[in-house]
Each structure stands twice: as C-alpha cells, then as structure tokens.
Amino acid sequence: MARKMGKLKFALIGIVIAGILTLVLFTKNGKIERLTFAEETNTEASLGSLDELKEGLSDYPELYRAAFEEDGIDPEDNIFIIPGMDATLTLHHEHEEADICTTMTPQGLAVNKDYLFISAYCQTKEHNSVIYVLEKKSGSFIKEIVLDGIPHAGGLAYDNNHELLWVTSEKGDTAQVITLSLKDIEAYDFADSAEPITYTDSIELPDIKRASTITVHGDDLYVAHFDDEETSVMHRYLISTTEDEDGKEVHALDTGKSTEEAYPDDVDKIGKEIQGLAFYREKLMLSRSAGRKKDSTLLSFDRLKETENFTDKNASTEITMPSYLEQIAVVGKQLYILFESGAYPYRAHGNPSIDRVLRVEIDSLFAE
C-alpha cells in the first residue's frame, strides 16, 4: 500500500511539474497573458540599453551607420521607445471592460509633423487592438487609442491632405481599411471614456485577399497583401472626398462609386513576405520579413523603370536587416523603421530583439 501511495505521489508531482512547464511555455510564446500588477501602459524600454542595442546592430553595417554614425546627430535622437510591450491599457475583448494586455505586438507605423503612430494587436486575442501615439519631437508617450475589436492592424498610413490616419482592418473575410481623423485622435481619451474610438470612415476592399500593409503617396492609397509562399500584389486607390446619402462628407477610394467599398485603379506585382511599403522621391521601398530564422530585407526599386513588377529580380538595392522587420514610413529624407521583436512572444528570438523605432537618413542608409 505504501509503495502504491509513493508511486501516486510521484505521479502527481510529475503532473504538477508538467503543468507548470506547459504554463511557462504557453506564457513565453504569448499563448496566454502574463500575470501583471500594472495599471497603465508602460513607457520605459522593455529590453536593454542603447549600448546593448548598438552592439546587437553592429552585425548590420548599413543600418548601424545610418542610425548611429550620422555626423552632428545624437544617436538617442534617432530612437523612439515602443510603449506597451510589457503592459498596455486597453479593453478586454469579451468582457468589454478596461484591462491590461501583456502580449501586444507592434505592426503598423505612421508619422506626421507632430506624432508617431504605432499599431499593435493582442497575441492572445483577448484584448482590443491599439494605436500608441507618441510625440514626434521627444518620443514621449502621449496615449493609447483603443480600436474596435481585434483587427491585426498590420498597416498604418497618415494622409496629410485630409488629416486622416488610415488603418488596415477586416470585416469578416473581406479586407477593409478604416480612417481616424486627426481631430478625433487628439480629442480621444480612453481613460475618460473606456470605449473604443469611433471610426471616421470604413471601406471594404473586395478585390484583395487581405489588407496587410498600406502607405499614402500623393493622392493615392497603396494597399499590399502579405503572402509567405509566393508573389503578391499591391493595389492603388485614388483618395477622394465626397458625400454620402445623408449629405455627410466622407472619404472614398473609388470616385463616383460606392463609398462603402472600393476597387483598385491599378495593380502591381510584389514579392512574397512583404510587411511594409513606402515611397521616397521616385523610389519604392519594401520591407520583408518572415519569422526568426531569416534576416529581414529592405528592398529599393526605381519606380521610373518598374511600373508593374516590384519583385526581387527588379530590385535596385537590397539591405539586410534584423529579423521581424515590420512597417516603414518616410517623412522628408528620413526613414522610420519598426520591428515586432520587442513584443514579449518574440523578444527571445530576435537577432537582436528591438523595442525601439529607428529613424535614419535614407541617403545615408543607401550610401555605397
């Protein structure tokens, strides 16, 4: 009897240990939320110091030179801490009440003259997606914008002509973009309302499989679909202002047609695994990444020569980047670069893991 009790005891201990290890593994991989006592979005760096970041980026000479060796520029002026990587104040998606998320994963990036916008989704899908708003000059965190539901929010684009922030989303199985007016963004206060922000417009995109990333160039919105197995597409839509049936001014992507859905004016071919796109003068830049096992790539194309095919064979320049490269954004002569490796589920896998947005001079980055 004693021997049986001993075996049972060891069996129970084994089950408990296995349960603990499983819990740790699932937490580490972002499958479940971590325990936290935080009550607001964290604003401090979640990973190492600037010196540790510089050491990690030393294996990427083009990026290192542009970020840290620009004459007359303090390297700290070229980095922006991504908030919320340890704790983000948002809504619990099911219970619709304020809650802290510990698995937010950054995806989209946009910049205007005053702000940096960074979108993120909850890895466990328990919490509403958010957009972090940072002051452009200082990099200080201003607030989080809580979105309606759990969109991946893989792309952001700021439209200076209409003072709108475009955000990729989905409606069921249909790709979608939504807009937030700058006026509404500045007035929004989640701590006061505990409700998601109201969208200015929402437009379905039936002709593209998924709206993975976007950019605004002139009067056009470009929407690309991420495909990790084969070449994909980039759609171009003309942004216009019109009135709906009630006489309300709305923003449309298909002049003269429905304001609730849009079809592209042009379709270009792009390579696989594209996470971001941005224009600089007459060049198109595409960011590529797919997991932890491969370096990312920043590709540059001469748009004057290539008007329909932006696949690898036509790239004029390729720059190797750390893994988990996400969206890029151009402002003037500067390129802002976002990685998702600062998110808790990925931070043990990056090469290195990066919890900052990097800003570089484009000409320095592509200098020979």
Side-chain angles (χ1 to χ4, degrees):
M1 183 70 177
R3 184 176 297 176
K4 288 184 179 180
M5 290 299 293
K7 289 182 178 180
L8 178 61
K9 179 179 180 181
F10 281 118
L12 290 173
I13 292 174
I15 292 173
V16 171
I17 292 174
I20 293 173
L21 291 175
T22 300
L23 180 63
V24 171
L25 178 63
F26 271 62
T27 302
K28 190 69 175 177
N29 290 334
K31 302 299 183 183
I32 60 175
E33 297 282 335
R34 290 172 292 152
L35 176 66
T36 181
F37 297 102
E39 297 180 351
E40 59 185 17
T41 300
N42 75 284
T43 60
E44 70 282 357
S46 299
L47 298 177
S49 66
L50 175 59
D51 287 339
E52 290 173 298
L53 175 62
K54 292 173 69 175
E55 181 180 353
L57 291 180
S58 61
D59 291 331
Y60 302 88
E62 294 93 347
L63 180 58
Y64 185 95
R65 180 187 65 239
F68 303 124
E69 294 182 344
E70 188 71 20
D71 290 341
I73 297 179
D74 186 338
E76 291 196 10
D77 292 338
N78 278 337
I79 61 171
F80 303 84
I81 293 172
I82 303 172
M85 295 298 92
D86 289 328
T88 294
L89 179 62
T90 181
L91 285 172
H92 191 285
H93 179 54
E94 181 180 348
H95 302 146
E96 297 184 348
E97 59 186 20
D99 196 16
I100 293 293
C101 174
T102 60
T103 64
M104 279 294 176
T105 304
Q107 292 292 293
L109 173 69
V111 186
N112 72 1
K113 65 183 182 65
D114 296 315
Y115 308 114
L116 266 74
F117 306 98
I118 303 170
S119 62
Y121 73 96
C122 172
Q123 188 77 220
T124 66
K125 301 186 185 303
E126 291 186 15
H127 298 94
N128 286 35
S129 304
V130 300
I131 296 173
Y132 305 112
V133 183
L134 282 66
E135 187 180 80
K136 180 183 174 184
K137 185 175 182 180
S138 67
S140 60
F141 173 70
I142 298 175
K143 59 186 171 184
E144 63 281 297
I145 303 293
V146 178
L147 300 178
D148 187 6
I150 53 174
H152 196 73
L156 296 180
Y158 190 77
D159 180 356
N160 286 291
N161 293 338
H162 301 98
E163 294 191 326
L164 291 174
L165 184 65
W166 293 84
V167 186
T168 60
S169 185
E170 56 274 340
K171 186 176 182 181
D173 294 330
T174 304
Q176 183 185 55
V177 286
I178 60 101
T179 62
L180 305 174
S181 73
L182 180 61
K183 180 180 179 181
D184 288 344
I185 289 172
E186 291 180 331
Y188 179 80
D189 185 355
F190 177 72
D192 182 54
S193 67
E195 294 182 354
I197 194 169
T198 300
Y199 298 161
T200 306
D201 304 298
S202 60
I203 305 169
E204 296 180 26
L205 309 176
D207 271 12
I208 195 166
K209 186 175 181 180
R210 184 176 182 180
S212 303
T213 187
I214 53 177
T215 193
V216 170
H217 183 57
D219 291 322
D220 293 314
L221 180 75
Y222 289 79
V223 182
H225 167 233
F226 173 92
D227 194 309
D228 60 0
E229 295 183 353
E230 55 188 29
T231 58
S232 191
V233 292
M234 176 177 68
H235 288 192
R236 177 174 62 84
Y237 303 85
L238 175 66
I239 303 171
S240 61
T241 303
T242 185
E243 291 185 354
D244 62 13
E245 296 177 353
D246 299 324
K248 176 186 174 183
E249 184 178 276
V250 295
H251 299 93
L253 294 179
D254 216 18
T255 305
K257 297 183 181 180
S258 170
T259 59
E260 297 179 357
E261 64 180 28
Y263 298 87
D265 297 302
D266 187 34
V267 178
D268 292 329
K269 184 184 292 186
I270 60 173
K272 66 178 183 178
E273 303 170 342
I274 299 303
Q275 302 276 11
L277 57 154
F279 288 93
Y280 174 59
R281 296 174 179 169
E282 293 299 327
K283 293 186 180 294
L284 170 66
M285 289 179 284
L286 301 177
S287 57
R288 161 184 289 147
S289 71
R292 64 182 180 179
K293 295 183 179 180
K294 296 188 295 184
D295 283 328
S296 302
T297 309
L298 180 65
L299 304 105
S300 175
F301 299 83
D302 189 340
R303 187 159 177 82
L304 289 175
K305 296 178 180 178
E306 304 300 334
T307 58
E308 295 180 352
N309 190 327
F310 297 99
T311 54
D312 293 29
K313 65 180 181 180
N314 292 322
S316 58
T317 310
E318 294 186 21
I319 296 177
T320 302
M321 294 276 189
S323 61
Y324 294 114
L325 173 63
E326 286 293 316
Q327 197 171 359
I328 52 177
V330 170
V331 178
K333 297 181 179 180
Q334 295 175 319
L335 180 69
Y336 292 75
I337 306 170
L338 175 70
F339 297 84
E340 67 176 350
S341 52
Y344 186 76
Y346 301 136
R347 63 178 58 167
H349 309 309
N351 61 338
S353 293
I354 303 171
D355 63 347
R356 276 92 158 169
V357 172
L358 304 180
R359 181 176 64 192
V360 300
E361 293 289 330
I362 298 174
D363 292 340
S364 295
L365 182 64
F366 287 94
E368 296 183 357

